[in-house]
Amino acid sequence: MTTVLGAPGQAERSLGGVRSRELAATYGTPLLVIDTMVLDANLTRFADLGSKHDIDVTYAGKALLLIALAERIGRTPLGLDVCSLGELTIAERAGVPANRIAFHGCGKTDEELQAALDGRVGRIVVDNREELDRLISLANAEHTLSILLRMNVGIEAHTHDYVRTGGEGSKFGFAPDALEATIAAILAAPGLQFVGFHSHIGSQIFEAESFCANVRELLGLVARARALGCEVGEVIAGGGFGVGAHPNDQPLDLESTIAAMQQALTQEAQRLRVPVPQLGIEPGRAIIADAGTSLYRVVAVKRIGSRRYAIVDGGLADNPRPLLYDAYHHPELAAREDGTLSTAPLIDTTLCGRSCENDEFVTAPLPEDLRAGDLLAIYTTGAYTYSMASNYNRFPRPAVVFAGNGRHRLVARRETLEDLLRVDVPD
Ligand code: LLP
């Protein structure tokens, strides 16, 4: 489902069947464009894989959550993960039924715990003992909240590798040795139903075996709970399905990965002689990343020594991923202002944002005659860009649009200077 990339610089790029110049002229830049044809194909793919392999699929809203997107998720069979009252409120405004929403996060406030107890979500994934104790103190026999325990199973996954870390490499979840005492505390508490275990081992994982190892670890926990007389109906193996960022990247084979996870589940359940629990997954990036493309206007092109720099009208504030994770986002000349095409040879160009940081996006081949006013497309920016955007340098957040079948519409308007000032309290 990756974005189709043509020969760089040869023709005006369209997104969702809409010419990039039309999008930039209508909404301005920087602009996040979500191709709804790609998004819907990704949603359908996960829904189909879920039903084919009997796996519950929940979209991890932290990747990107807007009311219009949550509405679209609501029209699929997928669930929705939220990890703050902000995300929960978006889900509610979009009309997603509470029983399809799960509450995540590793430092939930009392207000968030109360929201879960009040029935605003179907289930909560508890991260630590303090959170559990606060939840227990807020709960009473009138409540019927389903609880999963986030477990730190000691697998830390990297892109093409996974290592067992004994759990020390990550802050998330309960250490496995806390399992018995934690389950006993839940079983003794009124208003809480223990339903299962959760483990998310990382993001951008391309190795199916990492996901399978996680499933097997979860089954080991199921067996330990069973020894305490506690039947576990569900295990959720998190998200993390890798998405290629460079046109030459080998995509993760989702179908075989998900089939392998289901097979690991049944085989391990058989080996440990426990009933096969329901398996769940929580993809975020794999649903939204390749549906998103950012459009930027080039504001300056300059040479410093042997390097050529192009500065665009966005950067760190709307996409911190290159600086934070060294993430790659593929750039292309999308269009020139006058509609002409560039046939110039491509030369290495370092794309930078306009913030007061060395916010280099990427160094990649771009037309030698690149100039101010040119429109650049930066691909695979649907996940963890807008949702991680800031107002650094007091830049307003960009607009977000849906584009598909040649039509487009605004789903988040660009912030204004008034938006930026609305929280300031003068002396
Ligand atoms: N479930 C849980 C509990 C998670 O913490 C996450 C992501 C997901 C599911 C979804 O993972 P995905 O399928 O999107 O990989 N900001 C980073 C990624 C951080 C992921 C945080 N948790 C980035 O831009 O690459």
Side-chain angles (χ1 to χ4, degrees):
M1 214 56 55
T2 40
T3 312
V4 179
L5 305 175
Q10 297 295 303
E12 177 169 355
R13 293 289 174 260
S14 287
L15 302 167
V18 186
R19 286 181 311 115
S20 47
R21 274 189 308 157
E22 180 176 339
L23 290 166
T26 311
Y27 304 104
T29 54
L31 180 68
L32 175 60
V33 184
I34 302 293
D35 182 330
T36 52
M37 300 187 286
V38 177
L39 170 62
D40 289 344
N42 288 346
L43 288 169
T44 304
R45 181 144 191 242
F46 271 102
D48 289 351
L49 284 173
S51 70
K52 178 171 172 195
H53 297 283
D54 190 22
I55 294 178
D56 290 338
V57 183
T58 301
Y59 172 65
K62 67 200 79 187
L64 179 68
L65 201 61
L66 297 163
I67 294 175
L69 179 56
E71 284 172 332
R72 233 162 234 260
I73 304 287
R75 294 195 287 268
T76 72
L78 272 60
L80 178 59
D81 276 356
V82 299
C83 62
S84 67
L85 282 181
E87 288 185 357
L88 175 57
T89 306
I90 289 181
E92 290 174 334
R93 291 276 169 88
V96 179
N99 64 6
R100 284 172 53 195
I101 306 175
F103 213 131
H104 267 281
C106 68
K108 297 179 195 73
T109 63
D110 283 354
E111 210 185 344
E112 289 168 342
L113 296 175
Q114 191 60 55
L117 286 166
D118 290 344
R120 291 173 64 186
V121 299
R123 55 208 5 233
I124 190 167
V125 182
V126 174
D127 175 87
N128 56 68
R129 187 58 199 249
E130 284 81 353
E131 191 172 291
L132 178 63
D133 288 344
R134 280 188 292 122
L135 186 64
I136 289 173
S137 71
L138 292 168
N140 60 49
E142 317 268 276
H143 295 121
T144 52
L145 180 61
S146 296
I147 285 200
L148 287 103
L149 290 179
R150 175 149 187 182
M151 302 301 295
N152 188 326
V153 299
I155 296 175
E156 197 180 72
H158 301 287
T159 301
H160 288 292
D161 186 18
Y162 74 94
V163 287
R164 280 157 208 275
T165 62
E168 292 177 10
S170 156
K171 69 174 178 179
F172 293 104
F174 286 83
D177 57 12
L179 182 112
E180 281 75 11
T182 312
I183 289 183
I186 301 174
L187 294 182
L192 305 179
Q193 267 96 53
F194 175 63
V195 295
F197 295 113
H198 172 286
S199 164
H200 167 82
I201 54 170
S203 213
Q204 269 301 58
I205 301 167
F206 285 87
E207 186 61 66
E209 175 49 24
S210 298
F211 295 106
C212 295
N214 188 28
V215 168
R216 287 193 290 271
E217 292 291 334
L218 283 164
L219 260 292
L221 301 174
V222 169
R224 277 172 61 190
R226 194 154 200 251
L228 301 173
C230 175
E231 292 295 347
V232 177
E234 283 181 52
V235 290
I236 299 184
F241 303 94
V243 173
H246 190 278
N248 298 336
D249 280 350
Q250 268 296 91
L252 173 74
D253 184 341
L254 265 184
E255 165 90 55
S256 69
T257 301
I258 284 175
M261 289 172 81
Q262 184 57 262
Q263 198 183 22
L265 181 84
T266 44
Q267 283 177 352
E268 192 68 354
Q270 220 167 36
R271 193 180 74 78
L272 297 171
R273 297 179 200 290
V274 296
V276 182
Q278 176 65 44
L279 179 59
I281 55 172
E282 301 166 337
R285 189 191 315 270
I287 286 176
I288 196 67
D290 66 353
T293 301
S294 297
L295 288 178
Y296 296 101
R297 199 63 85 175
V298 175
V299 289
V301 181
K302 56 182 164 181
R303 258 194 190 280
I304 297 182
S306 61
R307 289 179 81 182
R308 183 168 84 143
Y309 289 96
I311 296 175
V312 298
D313 59 357
L316 172 62
D318 63 88
N319 183 357
R321 302 192 65 251
L323 262 198
L324 262 182
Y325 315 114
D326 217 8
Y328 181 83
H329 290 280
H330 192 70
E332 275 187 350
L333 176 61
R336 312 214 95 145
E337 269 177 319
D338 60 5
T340 60
L341 306 177
S342 170
T343 50
L346 305 181
I347 60 167
D348 270 355
T349 307
T350 301
L351 279 189
C352 300
R354 69 186 188 105
S355 80
C356 300
E357 300 271 331
N358 259 325
D359 56 353
E360 295 184 6
F361 260 125
V362 64
T363 298
L366 285 165
E368 196 169 26
D369 59 356
L370 190 75
R371 56 187 186 235
D374 285 350
L375 200 55
L376 288 181
I378 297 192
Y379 293 101
T380 337
T381 55
Y384 304 108
T385 56
Y386 189 82
S387 68
M388 294 180 76
S390 75
N391 289 124
Y392 182 51
N393 289 163
R394 290 290 195 166
F395 292 134
R397 286 185 178 79
V400 186
V401 299
F402 276 178
N405 297 312
R407 296 209 298 269
H408 50 92
R409 77 175 181 94
L410 193 66
V411 292
R413 71 161 168 79
R414 183 177 307 284
E415 281 181 340
T416 62
L417 290 179
E418 268 317 302
D419 291 327
L420 290 180
L421 295 179
R422 73 181 173 233
V423 293
D424 272 51
V425 181
D427 192 5

